[in-house]
Amino acid sequence: MRAAIVGTGFMARTHAEALARIRVQVRGVVGSSSDREVDFAPTYPGFDEMLADDRVDVVHICTPNHVHFEQALAALQAGKHVVCEKPLALTPAEAHQLCAAATERGLVNAVCFINRFYPLCQDAALRVEAGSVGAVRLVTGTYLQDWLSKDTDWNWRLDPAAGGPLRVVGDIGSHWLDLVSFVTGQRIESVMADLTTVLPTRQRPTGSVETFAVSTGDTEPVDVTTEDMAGILLRFDGGARGVLTLSQVSPGRKNHLAFEVSGAAASLAWDLESPEQLWIGYRDAPNRIQLRSAGDYPAGHAQGYPDAFKALFRAVYADIEVGRPAEQPDYPTFNDGFEQIIVGEAIAESARLGAWVPVQR
Ligand code: SOE
């Protein structure tokens, strides 16, 4: 199987490295910025040339959010399987169209909700499914980062035209929401959200800035309308309740996704920044820390972010080898991408109204 990657930034490099590890050849990449050096694959002159290359079976979309829809649709129409970074699209209608296009053509489709592929998140999901946690009553947690905490921090995600109207909710909240739905087996039924922009004016560099990089050089002041922080109450369709805190302005927190599930019989807690440990809490027995034992490397040989991509792509490429999606794919598909877009719509609406809003399915 041979792949091509659209995009040349942080995510494109992550995809290229994971593909190399599962021995999928990357035929080439397409980028928009001529000044960025691409050292991980040959470049195509443009997106159309890449789509016209018959040797490419799979297109990986690692571009800013606003072009995901048109690029994913064009790739499906060209008969390619598609692996898309989140968000799948910017509106429910677009995401729905992509789900339909993939189904119609029988093409494999995946969205990179990567956190499901940490071995201890899979372990947590199996524990809930097996009933050892009991009925899930409460899901709490956070996703906190600090890379946008200064008014001089800038990235395309701050611009709604490129990143979409929601920022912390779409960029990092969607990861948490997808992960806890995966672990609990419960979908989000309704939400009550408070969204806040603490830095309404930022200094935008006149040149582009790589994700997580600090900008240098000339800047100009711009108004920011997307949220820096969010507090969200959740009701799940299996009866659980949830509370989520999101922020990209929390000094010291780099990529702090953490969740805790309280079930009738036990609790589970996991933190992306210490991914080799799952905390298991009991009322009448000693609590314990489960260390990772499954995965590509023996226990004690720490696995992390690049390994999660490797595991996700291995699952997706198993279907690509067959040529079509399995009946029940064991990786996040366009349907899961659609799910997070409709949850995001409900969150935005709730923040506007100051009221509980159901997720429209
Ligand atoms: C930036 O907030 C970011 O890179 C997200 O876009 C990713 O999806 C997440 O994995 C880490 O943070």
mmCIF file of all heavy atoms in Angstrom, residues 10-11 65 85-86 112 114-115 143 145 147-148 155-157 170-172 174-175 211-212 248 254-255 272 305 309, ligand 1:
data_model
loop_
_atom_site.group_PDB
_atom_site.id
_atom_site.type_symbol
_atom_site.label_atom_id
_atom_site.label_comp_id
_atom_site.label_asym_id
_atom_site.label_seq_id
_atom_site.Cartn_x
_atom_site.Cartn_y
_atom_site.Cartn_z
ATOM 1 N N PHE A 10 3.689 19.876 11.574
ATOM 2 C CA PHE A 10 3.850 18.963 12.706
ATOM 3 C C PHE A 10 3.103 17.640 12.486
ATOM 4 O O PHE A 10 3.658 16.548 12.682
ATOM 5 C CB PHE A 10 3.338 19.737 13.942
ATOM 6 C CG PHE A 10 3.023 18.950 15.166
ATOM 7 C CD1 PHE A 10 3.984 18.151 15.758
ATOM 8 C CD2 PHE A 10 1.768 19.047 15.775
ATOM 9 C CE1 PHE A 10 3.698 17.445 16.932
ATOM 10 C CE2 PHE A 10 1.477 18.356 16.939
ATOM 11 C CZ PHE A 10 2.449 17.547 17.510
ATOM 12 N N MET A 11 1.838 17.727 12.042
ATOM 13 C CA MET A 11 1.063 16.490 11.900
ATOM 14 C C MET A 11 1.550 15.655 10.715
ATOM 15 O O MET A 11 1.586 14.427 10.786
ATOM 16 C CB MET A 11 -0.440 16.789 11.730
ATOM 17 C CG MET A 11 -1.149 17.272 12.975
ATOM 18 S SD MET A 11 -0.635 16.513 14.538
ATOM 19 C CE MET A 11 -0.781 14.791 14.215
ATOM 20 N N ASN A 65 -7.645 23.080 9.246
ATOM 21 C CA ASN A 65 -9.013 22.535 9.283
ATOM 22 C C ASN A 65 -9.917 22.938 8.109
ATOM 23 O O ASN A 65 -10.724 22.134 7.640
ATOM 24 C CB ASN A 65 -9.691 22.987 10.580
ATOM 25 C CG ASN A 65 -8.880 22.604 11.804
ATOM 26 O OD1 ASN A 65 -7.924 21.840 11.703
ATOM 27 N ND2 ASN A 65 -9.251 23.120 12.964
ATOM 28 N N GLU A 85 -6.933 14.194 9.553
ATOM 29 C CA GLU A 85 -6.764 14.774 10.879
ATOM 30 C C GLU A 85 -8.093 15.369 11.325
ATOM 31 O O GLU A 85 -8.934 15.730 10.507
ATOM 32 C CB GLU A 85 -5.659 15.847 10.839
ATOM 33 C CG GLU A 85 -4.293 15.312 11.225
ATOM 34 C CD GLU A 85 -4.313 14.613 12.599
ATOM 35 O OE1 GLU A 85 -5.026 15.073 13.507
ATOM 36 O OE2 GLU A 85 -3.621 13.595 12.742
ATOM 37 N N LYS A 86 -8.280 15.506 12.620
ATOM 38 C CA LYS A 86 -9.502 16.112 13.108
ATOM 39 C C LYS A 86 -9.386 17.630 13.040
ATOM 40 O O LYS A 86 -8.260 18.115 13.093
ATOM 41 C CB LYS A 86 -9.856 15.649 14.537
ATOM 42 C CG LYS A 86 -8.655 15.676 15.494
ATOM 43 C CD LYS A 86 -8.652 16.703 16.544
ATOM 44 C CE LYS A 86 -8.372 18.081 16.497
ATOM 45 N NZ LYS A 86 -7.038 18.544 16.856
ATOM 46 N N CYS A 112 -8.221 10.937 12.952
ATOM 47 C CA CYS A 112 -7.141 10.632 13.914
ATOM 48 C C CYS A 112 -7.461 11.049 15.349
ATOM 49 O O CYS A 112 -6.823 11.957 15.896
ATOM 50 C CB CYS A 112 -5.837 11.252 13.438
ATOM 51 S SG CYS A 112 -5.324 10.571 11.860
ATOM 52 N N ILE A 114 -6.507 9.969 18.140
ATOM 53 C CA ILE A 114 -5.360 9.112 18.388
ATOM 54 C C ILE A 114 -5.311 8.514 19.794
ATOM 55 O O ILE A 114 -4.758 7.446 20.014
ATOM 56 C CB ILE A 114 -4.089 9.954 18.091
ATOM 57 C CG1 ILE A 114 -2.858 9.092 18.089
ATOM 58 C CG2 ILE A 114 -3.930 11.129 19.005
ATOM 59 C CD1 ILE A 114 -2.908 8.111 16.993
ATOM 60 N N ASN A 115 -5.935 9.234 20.746
ATOM 61 C CA ASN A 115 -5.762 8.812 22.143
ATOM 62 C C ASN A 115 -6.376 7.450 22.440
ATOM 63 O O ASN A 115 -5.978 6.778 23.384
ATOM 64 C CB ASN A 115 -6.300 9.895 23.075
ATOM 65 C CG ASN A 115 -5.562 11.190 22.825
ATOM 66 O OD1 ASN A 115 -4.359 11.259 23.027
ATOM 67 N ND2 ASN A 115 -6.255 12.198 22.303
ATOM 68 N N TYR A 143 -8.531 18.945 29.566
ATOM 69 C CA TYR A 143 -7.475 18.960 28.547
ATOM 70 C C TYR A 143 -6.918 20.382 28.607
ATOM 71 O O TYR A 143 -7.593 21.333 28.191
ATOM 72 C CB TYR A 143 -8.017 18.598 27.164
ATOM 73 C CG TYR A 143 -6.938 18.148 26.167
ATOM 74 C CD1 TYR A 143 -7.264 17.341 25.091
ATOM 75 C CD2 TYR A 143 -5.607 18.533 26.302
ATOM 76 C CE1 TYR A 143 -6.299 16.902 24.188
ATOM 77 C CE2 TYR A 143 -4.632 18.099 25.400
ATOM 78 C CZ TYR A 143 -4.985 17.296 24.355
ATOM 79 O OH TYR A 143 -4.025 16.874 23.457
ATOM 80 N N GLN A 145 -3.556 23.011 27.984
ATOM 81 C CA GLN A 145 -2.277 23.286 27.322
ATOM 82 C C GLN A 145 -1.855 24.716 27.684
ATOM 83 O O GLN A 145 -2.681 25.510 28.141
ATOM 84 C CB GLN A 145 -2.420 23.199 25.795
ATOM 85 C CG GLN A 145 -2.808 21.825 25.263
ATOM 86 C CD GLN A 145 -2.922 21.807 23.744
ATOM 87 O OE1 GLN A 145 -3.302 22.807 23.135
ATOM 88 N NE2 GLN A 145 -2.619 20.677 23.130
ATOM 89 N N TRP A 147 0.470 26.467 25.328
ATOM 90 C CA TRP A 147 1.235 27.035 24.212
ATOM 91 C C TRP A 147 0.581 28.270 23.585
ATOM 92 O O TRP A 147 1.197 28.941 22.770
ATOM 93 C CB TRP A 147 1.510 25.952 23.160
ATOM 94 C CG TRP A 147 0.304 25.459 22.412
ATOM 95 C CD1 TRP A 147 -0.735 24.733 22.925
ATOM 96 C CD2 TRP A 147 0.015 25.626 21.023
ATOM 97 N NE1 TRP A 147 -1.654 24.446 21.942
ATOM 98 C CE2 TRP A 147 -1.207 24.977 20.766
ATOM 99 C CE3 TRP A 147 0.681 26.259 19.975
ATOM 100 C CZ2 TRP A 147 -1.791 24.954 19.501
ATOM 101 C CZ3 TRP A 147 0.105 26.232 18.701
ATOM 102 C CH2 TRP A 147 -1.122 25.580 18.475
ATOM 103 N N LEU A 148 -0.656 28.627 24.024
ATOM 104 C CA LEU A 148 -1.297 29.851 23.524
ATOM 105 C C LEU A 148 -1.608 30.804 24.675
ATOM 106 O O LEU A 148 -2.550 31.588 24.610
ATOM 107 C CB LEU A 148 -2.562 29.489 22.732
ATOM 108 C CG LEU A 148 -2.308 28.676 21.452
ATOM 109 C CD1 LEU A 148 -3.621 28.238 20.797
ATOM 110 C CD2 LEU A 148 -1.467 29.464 20.445
ATOM 111 N N ASN A 155 -0.893 30.972 16.067
ATOM 112 C CA ASN A 155 -0.939 29.799 15.196
ATOM 113 C C ASN A 155 -2.199 29.918 14.357
ATOM 114 O O ASN A 155 -3.152 30.587 14.771
ATOM 115 C CB ASN A 155 -0.987 28.522 16.069
ATOM 116 C CG ASN A 155 -1.020 27.250 15.249
ATOM 117 O OD1 ASN A 155 -2.078 26.675 15.003
ATOM 118 N ND2 ASN A 155 0.144 26.800 14.798
ATOM 119 N N TRP A 156 -2.237 29.256 13.197
ATOM 120 C CA TRP A 156 -3.416 29.360 12.334
ATOM 121 C C TRP A 156 -4.703 28.935 13.048
ATOM 122 O O TRP A 156 -5.799 29.361 12.683
ATOM 123 C CB TRP A 156 -3.233 28.554 11.041
ATOM 124 C CG TRP A 156 -2.966 27.081 11.226
ATOM 125 C CD1 TRP A 156 -1.752 26.469 11.168
ATOM 126 C CD2 TRP A 156 -3.918 26.042 11.487
ATOM 127 N NE1 TRP A 156 -1.889 25.118 11.391
ATOM 128 C CE2 TRP A 156 -3.201 24.829 11.587
ATOM 129 C CE3 TRP A 156 -5.305 26.013 11.643
ATOM 130 C CZ2 TRP A 156 -3.825 23.602 11.833
ATOM 131 C CZ3 TRP A 156 -5.928 24.797 11.889
ATOM 132 C CH2 TRP A 156 -5.190 23.618 11.984
ATOM 133 N N ARG A 157 -4.594 28.095 14.095
ATOM 134 C CA ARG A 157 -5.796 27.641 14.801
ATOM 135 C C ARG A 157 -6.570 28.801 15.438
ATOM 136 O O ARG A 157 -7.753 28.671 15.748
ATOM 137 C CB ARG A 157 -5.417 26.639 15.889
ATOM 138 C CG ARG A 157 -4.989 25.290 15.357
ATOM 139 C CD ARG A 157 -4.452 24.432 16.484
ATOM 140 N NE ARG A 157 -4.083 23.099 16.067
ATOM 141 C CZ ARG A 157 -2.963 22.781 15.422
ATOM 142 N NH1 ARG A 157 -2.116 23.730 15.081
ATOM 143 N NH2 ARG A 157 -2.704 21.535 15.092
ATOM 144 N N GLY A 170 -12.862 22.412 19.595
ATOM 145 C CA GLY A 170 -12.601 21.615 18.392
ATOM 146 C C GLY A 170 -11.214 20.993 18.398
ATOM 147 O O GLY A 170 -11.036 19.840 18.025
ATOM 148 N N ASP A 171 -10.231 21.755 18.844
ATOM 149 C CA ASP A 171 -8.839 21.317 18.715
ATOM 150 C C ASP A 171 -8.465 20.271 19.760
ATOM 151 O O ASP A 171 -7.844 19.255 19.436
ATOM 152 C CB ASP A 171 -7.924 22.550 18.858
ATOM 153 C CG ASP A 171 -6.477 22.230 18.521
ATOM 154 O OD1 ASP A 171 -6.252 21.438 17.591
ATOM 155 O OD2 ASP A 171 -5.574 22.757 19.188
ATOM 156 N N ILE A 172 -8.850 20.497 21.022
ATOM 157 C CA ILE A 172 -8.448 19.532 22.060
ATOM 158 C C ILE A 172 -9.662 18.904 22.762
ATOM 159 O O ILE A 172 -9.617 17.743 23.134
ATOM 160 C CB ILE A 172 -7.456 20.155 23.076
ATOM 161 C CG1 ILE A 172 -7.994 21.456 23.681
ATOM 162 C CG2 ILE A 172 -6.109 20.380 22.423
ATOM 163 C CD1 ILE A 172 -7.059 22.069 24.750
ATOM 164 N N SER A 174 -12.392 17.940 21.423
ATOM 165 C CA SER A 174 -12.898 16.815 20.616
ATOM 166 C C SER A 174 -12.123 15.533 20.938
ATOM 167 O O SER A 174 -12.692 14.439 20.958
ATOM 168 C CB SER A 174 -12.823 17.141 19.124
ATOM 169 O OG SER A 174 -11.486 17.406 18.755
ATOM 170 N N HIS A 175 -10.813 15.657 21.225
ATOM 171 C CA HIS A 175 -10.025 14.473 21.596
ATOM 172 C C HIS A 175 -10.551 13.863 22.901
ATOM 173 O O HIS A 175 -10.712 12.653 23.021
ATOM 174 C CB HIS A 175 -8.562 14.865 21.843
ATOM 175 C CG HIS A 175 -7.716 14.915 20.614
ATOM 176 N ND1 HIS A 175 -7.558 13.842 19.778
ATOM 177 C CD2 HIS A 175 -6.949 15.913 20.104
ATOM 178 C CE1 HIS A 175 -6.723 14.183 18.793
ATOM 179 N NE2 HIS A 175 -6.354 15.425 18.964
ATOM 180 N N THR A 211 3.064 24.857 14.612
ATOM 181 C CA THR A 211 2.344 24.513 15.837
ATOM 182 C C THR A 211 3.323 24.262 16.985
ATOM 183 O O THR A 211 4.308 23.555 16.807
ATOM 184 C CB THR A 211 1.495 23.248 15.576
ATOM 185 O OG1 THR A 211 0.653 23.518 14.475
ATOM 186 C CG2 THR A 211 0.659 22.879 16.791
ATOM 187 N N PHE A 212 3.026 24.804 18.154
ATOM 188 C CA PHE A 212 3.830 24.716 19.377
ATOM 189 C C PHE A 212 5.135 25.532 19.311
ATOM 190 O O PHE A 212 5.891 25.539 20.271
ATOM 191 C CB PHE A 212 4.173 23.253 19.764
ATOM 192 C CG PHE A 212 2.987 22.461 20.229
ATOM 193 C CD1 PHE A 212 2.500 21.389 19.498
ATOM 194 C CD2 PHE A 212 2.339 22.802 21.411
ATOM 195 C CE1 PHE A 212 1.401 20.664 19.931
ATOM 196 C CE2 PHE A 212 1.241 22.080 21.854
ATOM 197 C CZ PHE A 212 0.767 21.006 21.114
ATOM 198 N N GLN A 248 -6.230 26.441 26.635
ATOM 199 C CA GLN A 248 -4.919 26.518 25.965
ATOM 200 C C GLN A 248 -4.092 27.642 26.566
ATOM 201 O O GLN A 248 -3.115 28.082 25.995
ATOM 202 C CB GLN A 248 -5.104 26.692 24.449
ATOM 203 C CG GLN A 248 -5.620 25.399 23.810
ATOM 204 C CD GLN A 248 -5.821 25.465 22.305
ATOM 205 O OE1 GLN A 248 -6.331 26.458 21.796
ATOM 206 N NE2 GLN A 248 -5.450 24.413 21.598
ATOM 207 N N LYS A 254 1.281 21.211 29.322
ATOM 208 C CA LYS A 254 1.713 21.135 27.925
ATOM 209 C C LYS A 254 0.683 20.426 27.060
ATOM 210 O O LYS A 254 0.296 20.909 25.997
ATOM 211 C CB LYS A 254 3.066 20.408 27.827
ATOM 212 C CG LYS A 254 4.151 21.027 28.690
ATOM 213 C CD LYS A 254 4.391 22.476 28.309
ATOM 214 C CE LYS A 254 5.304 23.165 29.300
ATOM 215 N NZ LYS A 254 5.365 24.614 29.097
ATOM 216 N N ASN A 255 0.269 19.259 27.511
ATOM 217 C CA ASN A 255 -0.708 18.484 26.718
ATOM 218 C C ASN A 255 -1.444 17.576 27.689
ATOM 219 O O ASN A 255 -1.437 16.360 27.574
ATOM 220 C CB ASN A 255 0.042 17.668 25.661
ATOM 221 C CG ASN A 255 -0.841 17.341 24.480
ATOM 222 O OD1 ASN A 255 -1.747 18.105 24.118
ATOM 223 N ND2 ASN A 255 -0.608 16.193 23.876
ATOM 224 N N LEU A 272 -2.709 11.548 29.814
ATOM 225 C CA LEU A 272 -1.898 11.447 28.591
ATOM 226 C C LEU A 272 -0.411 11.742 28.831
ATOM 227 O O LEU A 272 0.450 11.229 28.120
ATOM 228 C CB LEU A 272 -2.470 12.430 27.558
ATOM 229 C CG LEU A 272 -1.731 12.705 26.265
ATOM 230 C CD1 LEU A 272 -1.527 11.449 25.443
ATOM 231 C CD2 LEU A 272 -2.512 13.717 25.424
ATOM 232 N N TYR A 305 3.190 8.982 22.214
ATOM 233 C CA TYR A 305 2.478 9.588 21.087
ATOM 234 C C TYR A 305 2.796 8.930 19.734
ATOM 235 O O TYR A 305 1.873 8.502 19.026
ATOM 236 C CB TYR A 305 2.827 11.076 21.112
ATOM 237 C CG TYR A 305 2.156 11.962 20.120
ATOM 238 C CD1 TYR A 305 0.792 12.242 20.200
ATOM 239 C CD2 TYR A 305 2.887 12.573 19.106
ATOM 240 C CE1 TYR A 305 0.182 13.090 19.291
ATOM 241 C CE2 TYR A 305 2.286 13.437 18.204
ATOM 242 C CZ TYR A 305 0.936 13.680 18.303
ATOM 243 O OH TYR A 305 0.334 14.520 17.404
ATOM 244 N N PHE A 309 0.098 6.612 17.073
ATOM 245 C CA PHE A 309 -0.138 6.750 15.626
ATOM 246 C C PHE A 309 0.181 5.454 14.896
ATOM 247 O O PHE A 309 -0.544 5.033 13.989
ATOM 248 C CB PHE A 309 0.698 7.909 15.050
ATOM 249 C CG PHE A 309 -0.003 9.231 15.175
ATOM 250 C CD1 PHE A 309 0.199 10.027 16.285
ATOM 251 C CD2 PHE A 309 -0.905 9.659 14.213
ATOM 252 C CE1 PHE A 309 -0.476 11.230 16.430
ATOM 253 C CE2 PHE A 309 -1.583 10.857 14.345
ATOM 254 C CZ PHE A 309 -1.362 11.651 15.468
HETATM 255 C C1 SOE B 1 -2.568 21.588 19.332
HETATM 256 O O1 SOE B 1 -3.462 22.043 20.303
HETATM 257 C C2 SOE B 1 -2.571 20.078 19.214
HETATM 258 O O2 SOE B 1 -1.500 19.740 18.374
HETATM 259 C C3 SOE B 1 -3.830 19.520 18.612
HETATM 260 O O3 SOE B 1 -4.145 20.071 17.359
HETATM 261 C C4 SOE B 1 -3.669 18.010 18.509
HETATM 262 O O4 SOE B 1 -4.812 17.431 17.956
HETATM 263 C C5 SOE B 1 -3.340 17.440 19.896
HETATM 264 O O5 SOE B 1 -2.970 16.121 19.761
HETATM 265 C C6 SOE B 1 -2.202 18.146 20.552
HETATM 266 O O6 SOE B 1 -2.372 19.526 20.498
#
